[in-house]
Each structure stands twice: as structure tokens, then as C-alpha cells.
Amino acid sequence: MNEYLSKVIEHTQQLNADQPEYMQAVKEVLNSIEPVIERHKEYEECALLERMVEPERCILFRVPWVDDNGKVKVNRGYRIQYSSLIGPYKGGLRFHPSVNLSIMKFLGFEQIFKNALTGLPIGGAKGGSDFDPKGKTDGEIMRFCQSFMTELYRHIGADVDVPAGDIGVGAREIGYLFGQYKRIRDAYEGGVLTGKDISYGGSLARKEATGYGLMFFMREMLSAHNNSLQGKTVTISGSGNVAIYACEKAQAMGAKVVAMSDSNGCIYDENGIDLDCIKEIKEVRRGRIKEYLNTHPEAEYFENTGSHSPVWNIKTDIALPCATQNELNLESAKILVQNGVIAVGEGANMPCTQDATDYLLEHNVLVAPAKAANAGGVATSAIEMSQNSMRFYYTFEEVEAKLEKIMIHIFNECKTASDDFGHHGNYVIGANIAAFQKLASAMIAQGIV
Ligand code: NDP
Ligand code: 2IT
């Protein structure tokens, strides 16, 4: 391997030995950009890679709140302001008990590449808390969000850092966060958060954007290989924001979605998933996916057991991991390949382990990498920001048309980069190289900062 690259990987590993997800994300990118580094000896002189693997700022804070029984609780809050190279820090907030510095930094790192691919002026960030929203009342969620924002507000702003949702953070949480921000600032700064409800400055189609965007990318990728979604069987992990709207668009494109999951298990409905039922369970009642069987007794339920998610045991043409990182491992990849999978689309961030991705690519499975394939959410967040700046709204159709155009552009960028560097059909490498080239030239232009 290129000497400069291996030196940076080794040094970054020493510095972050306790951060496995972060190192996984860094190595995945650095290992795929070798041909670019070979062409640009000047990168080493300005320590370009060393700067790229160090976030501009990591903010860590205490979040005290009071539960419904009057008991005081304390959680940890994070905001990783990773890069402001091409725009204000931009990226979601995740509320999940697994949240830690490694996960926040990996998500922040991924976000700078993803945001660069959109072609829009947004930097990269991520934040969140180890707070577990499951089983909490609306009042508890509101008090937690208010406490979280009481610290976060001093670090964000429409031209500084613009958070949005991620796992455990949707329109309800964004509403409470926005209300508290507005109260502290005593000014209406609509563009400080995205994913807002339509009633006070949100964008139509933001809710649908990540899932729809994923399917636009899948359509482009399949079509480049003379294939399509029409008549294909699809399995989806997760049943949250990304999974639900990926399912909706996949169905609209003529595919049959037969499985979805949550952290407890997965349902299999060979007649095709009844998405209205999933929406009622997940978006309205905030229930468990198993409840699908109450109204669909013909469906089957498989509980999560070992280290491998049962949703990947189901025979499918197209698999869409839309839940969380490292949810599709080598064991899953082997079963999918054995069952004849033709494409995997990453709706979640880093859902495939490195050995799973390698195995899929070696077996000629098309892989739509997260950085590119799930960028529709943040791209539509940027469209929400521009509507807020203009004090104007686009229609649903206008936003969706812009999203579709952006996803086609992203696919073409990935394809061009993979072709240019001799990796025809490998969009994982294509996405990394296309994003890296854009970031690297902006870094050179802005000097040593
Ligand atoms: P939601 O909170 O709406 O849904 C998350 C889904 O994933 C739920 O079904 C949840 O199940 C499941 N899940 C979460 N953690 C785990 C876990 N450790 N093991 C198994 N299942 C799990 O989140 P989103 O749909 O917004 O996010 C899903 C993924 O997509 C994440 O990786 C996120 O980073 C990524 N993403 C999100 C974007 C967005 O705009 N929202 C944009 C781009 C990427 P349960 O309810 O049981 O916890
Ligand atoms: O991972 C992601 O891209 C998101 N959670 C969306 C971020 C955003 O700012 O809309």
C-alpha cells in the first residue's frame, strides 16, 4: 500500500484505538482512495489526510432531566462538528442507548463525504445522546429535548451548524428542540434545524426523502446494468423513517416488499407488506413490528436471536439494510448470495460490515453505498434550508423532482469515478473517490485550516 496512506492509517489507529466504528469508517475510505493519493504527491506535504481524519470540534455535554416520577436522570449529549469545508456543519441527531464517541465520530466522518456528493453547500456533522426514547412519555421526551437544546443552542445556527433527525429523532423531537431554541434565542431562525413539521417551516417530502432517494439511486444503478425494480422481491431491515419510505417507493416502482424488521425481529409476508399497517404500528402507535401479525395472521415472525439478523435469511432479489450500522455481516452476505441476491442498497449508515461488502462485490452483487444511496435525506434538508432562507415553500412535486435529479447526479458521479479508476461497477469505491476528490480540492483551495 501507498506509504503515506499506511502511515496515516496507523497513526489514526493509535490515536483512536478505543473507537472501532470510527476506525472502520476511516479505513474503508482511506483503503479505497489509493489511486488518487498516488496521483497527488502534494497531499502529503499539506497533511491533507491527517487533517481529514480529525474533526474540527467535538462537543460533549451533560443532559439532566426529570422523569414522570420526579426522578432526576442524566444523559450524555454530543455534537461532532466534523467539517465546515463546503458549508455549515450539517447532519442528524441520534437518540439511542448505544450512542458513544466512536459512533458519533464515524457518523460525522461519513456525513462529510455524503454531503459533498450531494453537490450542495453543506459541511458535515453528527450529534445525539445515549438517551433511550423507547417507553418514554411525550412529556419526558419534551423535557429531555429542552435540556439537550439548553446546551446545544450556543453551538448551532442557520449559518453555523444545522442539526436534523436520525435514529430516535423525528418530527416530534425536532419540534421540541426547535421550540426551546426559539425560546432561548428570542428570534425566529427557521433554518437552524431541518426535518421540521410542515406547519412551522418544514419541507414537503423531507420525511419521505431518504427512502425515496435510496430507491431513485437503486433504479439508476440497476438500469446501468440493464435491470430494473419491476417485479423484483425486496427485503428491508428496520421499520423506521428510512425503511418505511424505501418500502413505499419500492412498491410504487413495481417491486414486491416481503419483509421488514425492528430491533426485536422481522416479519415475512409473502403476499407483500401492507405498508399502511406498518405506518399505523410505527408512526402512530410507536409499537413493535410483531403487532403486524394481529391483523395479518398469514404473515410469519422471526425473533432476533444470535449475531445475525433473521431478515437476511429470507430469499430476495434486493436487500435494503435501513436500520443501523453493522447489521449485515459476512454470515448475512453469504446467505443472501446463496439465495441469489442481485443488489444491496444501504439505506442506513455503514450497515454492511467490511467483510460483508467485500464478499458481496466479489460475488458480483451490486452494492449501493450508504454515502451515496442515503444522501437524499440530507439533500432535502438542504432544500429545506434554502426554502427557509427564501421564506418560501416548494410543492411536494417540486421537492421530489429536485431530489430525483440530485440522486441521478450522485449515481453518475459514483459511476464516472469508478469507471475512471478502473473499478467498473464498484460504486463503493466510486462514491469514496468522487467525494474525496471534491473535499481534497476544497481543502487545497482553503489553505492550512
Ligand atoms: P428510526 O429511528 O426512524 O428507525 C430506526 C429503525 O431501525 C427502527 O426500526 C429500529 O428498531 C431499527 N434499529 C435501530 N437500532 C437498531 C439496532 N441496534 N438493531 C436492530 N434494529 C435497530 O431511524 P431512521 O429510519 O431515521 O434511521 C435508520 C438508519 O438510516 C440509520 O442508520 C440512520 O443513520 C440512517 N439514515 C437516516 C436518515 C434520515 O433522514 N432519517 C438519512 C440517512 C441515513 P427499534 O424501533 O426496535 O429500535
Ligand atoms: O445520516 C443522515 O444523513 C441523516 N440522518 C440526515 C441528516 C440531515 O441533516 O438531514
Side-chain angles (χ1 to χ4, degrees), residues 79 90-94 107 111 114-115 122 125-126 162-167 194-195 206 210 242 347-349 374-382 385:
R79 187 69 180 166
K90 181 83 196 87
L93 297 172
R94 175 178 293 190
L107 288 163
Q111 200 80 42
K114 183 193 306 191
N115 294 5
I122 39 179
K126 203 76 187 194
V162 183
D166 193 79
I167 292 177
T194 60
R206 172 62 188 89
T210 312
V242 179
N349 285 308
N374 74 31
V378 75
T380 307
S381 278
M385 289 162 70

Side-chain angles (χ1 to χ4, degrees), residues 251 256-259 269-275 292 296 298:
Q251 290 176 340
K256 182 168 159 191
V257 181
V258 295
D269 188 340
E270 65 173 344
N271 302 319
I273 293 283
D274 171 0
L275 190 59
Y292 187 85
H296 295 77
E298 73 287 1

Side-chain angles (χ1 to χ4, degrees), residues 352-401:
C352 296
T353 59
Q354 187 64 54
D355 51 4
T357 304
D358 294 343
Y359 187 87
L360 293 168
L361 291 171
E362 279 159 21
H363 289 81
N364 297 318
V365 177
L366 294 171
V367 178
K371 290 181 195 79
N374 74 31
V378 75
T380 307
S381 278
I383 299 172
E384 180 172 335
M385 289 162 70
S386 60
Q387 291 171 85
N388 295 149
S389 298
M390 291 188 293
R391 301 175 193 281
F392 183 73
Y393 292 102
Y394 296 132
T395 63
F396 190 98
E397 290 71 24
E398 285 171 324
V399 179
E400 191 183 5

Side-chain angles (χ1 to χ4, degrees), residues 287-314:
R288 307 311 303 158
I289 201 147
K290 195 180 180 176
E291 294 163 32
Y292 187 85
L293 267 60
N294 297 345
T295 46
H296 295 77
E298 73 287 1
E300 288 179 77
Y301 178 71
F302 303 97
E303 189 93 16
N304 280 351
T305 47
S307 59
H308 156 85
S309 174
V311 71
W312 310 127
N313 293 337
I314 295 162

